[in-house]
Amino acid sequence: MIEQTVLNDGNGIVKRLPGVVRIEPASVCNLKCSHCPTGVLEDRRRGVMSVATFEVVLREITALSPRAVVLYHGGEPFINKNIFDMIRSLKSCGVGFVKTVTNGMLLNEVMLLKIIQSGLDSIEFSLDGRTPEENDEIRRGSNYQKVSSLIKQLIALKHALASKKPEIFVANCQIPTESELEQGKPELPTYIAQDFSQYDDNEISFKTCFAIHWPGLPIDTSKYRLSEPLNLEQTLDYCENPIELITIRHNGDVVACCYDIASAYVLGNIKEDRIERIWNNERYRALRRSIRSRKYLPLCQNCQVVKPQRFLILKSPRRRE
C-alpha cells in the first residue's frame, strides 16, 4: 500500500507517489498555433508514443494506481492511432479518471463514437480568440466551424447513446490588449457563448485564460509584445508539479511538468527505470530543493508558476467583434 503521508523534507524526498500521471501520446501537432511552443519551435526529437513504450507506461501505472491520467502534453493526442486502445487500457487497469485535450481538427464521426465507447471521462477542445476569424488566425490550420460542428455532434451522440461520458469542455485562450489584461480574467467570447447557447451546464462547460508567454518562445513582434511582469513580488517556494504529478513524454522520458515541452530537464526514462525510483532520484530531489530554496534551476527561472507572470499582448487595438 502506498504511504499516504507526503514528506517534502530538506532532502527533496516525497514519500507519496504521484496521484496524477500525464502521458504524451504524441509530441507532434497538426496545427501551428502562434502562442504555443509546439507550433512555433522546431524540434526533430518529436514523435508518437509507440505501443511498446505505452505497454511499459501501463505496467508502471498499474502498480502506481493513480487517481487520474491526462493523455496530453505538447502535441495533438489524436495523431496517435492507438489513442483509443490507450484509453481503454487505462480504464481497464483501474484508473478512475482519464482526460485528453485536442484541437479537434483530426476528428470525424467514427472517431467521436470511439471516444464514447473507449470510456474517456473528459475531453477538452481548444478554441481561442474573441472571434471565429481570430481563432483561425491564432490556431493556424484550425477551422472554427468544423470544430464547433464536431463538438455538437459529440453532444448529440452522447444523447443518442444515453452516455454521461465524456464530460465536454471548451478552453478559450485569448491574446489581450493592454486594457483587456488590466480588467482581469477574460469573459467567454460572444461567438462561443452564442454558438453553444442551446446547451446547459451538464452538456458542455467553458474555461477562459489569457495567453502566457512560454519561456524561450519567439514572439511575432509585428503583432505581439510582452506585458510587464505581474505580481512582481512573486517568488514562490512551492510548486505542485514535482510533488503531486509525473509527466511522461512520448519516448518514455520523465520531465518536471507540462511546461517542459522541449525536455529541458529530463529526470529519467520509464524504459530504463521504475517510476518509484525515478520519483525520488537525485535529479527530482534537486529540482524540489531548488524550488523550496527559491534558487531555481534554469527550467524554472522564468516559470510563471513560481515567478511573476507575463502575457502576450496585442500591439494594435482589437477590431470590434
Side-chain angles (χ1 to χ4, degrees), residues 15 22 120 130 143 161 216 229 239 269 278 282 307:
K15 280 189 175 181
R22 181 183 293 272
L120 183 68
R130 298 292 188 94
N143 180 281
L161 298 174
C239 174
N269 188 289
I278 295 173
E282 180 50 38
K307 299 293 288 292

mmCIF file of all heavy atoms in Angstrom, residues 15 22 120 130 143 161 216 229 239 269 278 282 307:
data_model
loop_
_atom_site.group_PDB
_atom_site.id
_atom_site.type_symbol
_atom_site.label_atom_id
_atom_site.label_comp_id
_atom_site.label_asym_id
_atom_site.label_seq_id
_atom_site.Cartn_x
_atom_site.Cartn_y
_atom_site.Cartn_z
ATOM 1 N N LYS A 15 7.399 11.218 -0.072
ATOM 2 C CA LYS A 15 7.105 9.817 0.235
ATOM 3 C C LYS A 15 5.980 9.252 -0.620
ATOM 4 O O LYS A 15 6.055 8.120 -1.084
ATOM 5 C CB LYS A 15 6.744 9.664 1.720
ATOM 6 C CG LYS A 15 7.939 9.623 2.647
ATOM 7 C CD LYS A 15 7.494 9.257 4.054
ATOM 8 C CE LYS A 15 8.693 9.092 4.974
ATOM 9 N NZ LYS A 15 8.262 8.719 6.345
ATOM 10 N N ARG A 22 0.678 12.352 -16.273
ATOM 11 C CA ARG A 22 0.468 12.954 -17.594
ATOM 12 C C ARG A 22 1.256 12.124 -18.611
ATOM 13 O O ARG A 22 2.462 11.925 -18.453
ATOM 14 C CB ARG A 22 0.948 14.409 -17.600
ATOM 15 C CG ARG A 22 0.742 15.120 -18.934
ATOM 16 C CD ARG A 22 1.300 16.536 -18.871
ATOM 17 N NE ARG A 22 0.544 17.371 -17.962
ATOM 18 C CZ ARG A 22 -0.531 18.072 -18.302
ATOM 19 N NH1 ARG A 22 -0.984 18.030 -19.539
ATOM 20 N NH2 ARG A 22 -1.146 18.818 -17.412
ATOM 21 N N LEU A 120 -13.564 7.275 -22.144
ATOM 22 C CA LEU A 120 -12.904 8.536 -21.796
ATOM 23 C C LEU A 120 -13.812 9.361 -20.888
ATOM 24 O O LEU A 120 -15.001 9.530 -21.154
ATOM 25 C CB LEU A 120 -12.583 9.324 -23.075
ATOM 26 C CG LEU A 120 -11.824 10.643 -22.892
ATOM 27 C CD1 LEU A 120 -10.398 10.387 -22.419
ATOM 28 C CD2 LEU A 120 -11.809 11.416 -24.217
ATOM 29 N N ARG A 130 -11.236 36.007 -29.737
ATOM 30 C CA ARG A 130 -12.522 36.660 -29.477
ATOM 31 C C ARG A 130 -13.535 36.461 -30.606
ATOM 32 O O ARG A 130 -14.709 36.797 -30.446
ATOM 33 C CB ARG A 130 -12.300 38.159 -29.279
ATOM 34 C CG ARG A 130 -11.426 38.524 -28.083
ATOM 35 C CD ARG A 130 -12.111 38.197 -26.776
ATOM 36 N NE ARG A 130 -11.381 38.715 -25.637
ATOM 37 C CZ ARG A 130 -11.630 39.893 -25.059
ATOM 38 N NH1 ARG A 130 -12.587 40.661 -25.522
ATOM 39 N NH2 ARG A 130 -10.926 40.286 -24.016
ATOM 40 N N ASN A 143 -10.044 25.332 -38.024
ATOM 41 C CA ASN A 143 -11.243 25.905 -38.633
ATOM 42 C C ASN A 143 -12.347 25.868 -37.606
ATOM 43 O O ASN A 143 -12.814 24.794 -37.217
ATOM 44 C CB ASN A 143 -11.647 25.114 -39.883
ATOM 45 C CG ASN A 143 -12.891 25.678 -40.549
ATOM 46 O OD1 ASN A 143 -14.008 25.444 -40.101
ATOM 47 N ND2 ASN A 143 -12.702 26.430 -41.621
ATOM 48 N N LEU A 161 -26.849 7.811 -27.294
ATOM 49 C CA LEU A 161 -26.373 6.594 -26.626
ATOM 50 C C LEU A 161 -26.628 6.618 -25.126
ATOM 51 O O LEU A 161 -26.220 5.698 -24.417
ATOM 52 C CB LEU A 161 -24.871 6.412 -26.890
ATOM 53 C CG LEU A 161 -24.474 6.223 -28.359
ATOM 54 C CD1 LEU A 161 -22.953 6.211 -28.494
ATOM 55 C CD2 LEU A 161 -25.078 4.947 -28.926
ATOM 56 N N GLY A 216 11.357 31.186 -23.572
ATOM 57 C CA GLY A 216 12.097 30.766 -24.756
ATOM 58 C C GLY A 216 11.295 30.808 -26.038
ATOM 59 O O GLY A 216 11.838 30.530 -27.115
ATOM 60 N N PRO A 229 5.761 42.317 -16.061
ATOM 61 C CA PRO A 229 5.513 41.220 -15.113
ATOM 62 C C PRO A 229 4.438 41.588 -14.101
ATOM 63 O O PRO A 229 4.431 42.701 -13.567
ATOM 64 C CB PRO A 229 6.870 41.025 -14.431
ATOM 65 C CG PRO A 229 7.872 41.624 -15.356
ATOM 66 C CD PRO A 229 7.159 42.758 -16.037
ATOM 67 N N CYS A 239 5.691 24.346 -5.674
ATOM 68 C CA CYS A 239 5.064 24.041 -6.959
ATOM 69 C C CYS A 239 4.531 22.624 -6.861
ATOM 70 O O CYS A 239 5.265 21.704 -6.472
ATOM 71 C CB CYS A 239 6.070 24.160 -8.104
ATOM 72 S SG CYS A 239 5.415 23.616 -9.709
ATOM 73 N N ASN A 269 13.902 7.913 -17.476
ATOM 74 C CA ASN A 269 13.131 7.324 -18.565
ATOM 75 C C ASN A 269 12.495 6.034 -18.066
ATOM 76 O O ASN A 269 13.185 5.186 -17.481
ATOM 77 C CB ASN A 269 14.019 7.056 -19.784
ATOM 78 C CG ASN A 269 13.212 6.628 -21.000
ATOM 79 O OD1 ASN A 269 12.668 5.527 -21.051
ATOM 80 N ND2 ASN A 269 13.127 7.502 -21.991
ATOM 81 N N ILE A 278 12.603 6.654 -10.053
ATOM 82 C CA ILE A 278 12.794 7.971 -10.671
ATOM 83 C C ILE A 278 12.254 9.069 -9.761
ATOM 84 O O ILE A 278 12.863 10.126 -9.609
ATOM 85 C CB ILE A 278 12.084 8.030 -12.047
ATOM 86 C CG1 ILE A 278 12.738 7.056 -13.031
ATOM 87 C CG2 ILE A 278 12.104 9.459 -12.608
ATOM 88 C CD1 ILE A 278 12.005 6.927 -14.349
ATOM 89 N N GLU A 282 18.111 11.662 -7.600
ATOM 90 C CA GLU A 282 18.800 12.896 -7.251
ATOM 91 C C GLU A 282 18.320 14.089 -8.074
ATOM 92 O O GLU A 282 18.224 15.211 -7.570
ATOM 93 C CB GLU A 282 20.314 12.727 -7.419
ATOM 94 C CG GLU A 282 21.137 13.979 -7.085
ATOM 95 C CD GLU A 282 20.785 14.589 -5.724
ATOM 96 O OE1 GLU A 282 20.531 13.831 -4.756
ATOM 97 O OE2 GLU A 282 20.758 15.831 -5.632
ATOM 98 N N LYS A 307 7.311 32.322 -10.546
ATOM 99 C CA LYS A 307 7.835 33.671 -10.789
ATOM 100 C C LYS A 307 6.722 34.580 -11.328
ATOM 101 O O LYS A 307 5.650 34.104 -11.694
ATOM 102 C CB LYS A 307 9.000 33.594 -11.800
ATOM 103 C CG LYS A 307 10.184 32.746 -11.330
ATOM 104 C CD LYS A 307 10.906 33.362 -10.158
ATOM 105 C CE LYS A 307 11.723 34.578 -10.514
ATOM 106 N NZ LYS A 307 12.883 34.287 -11.363
#
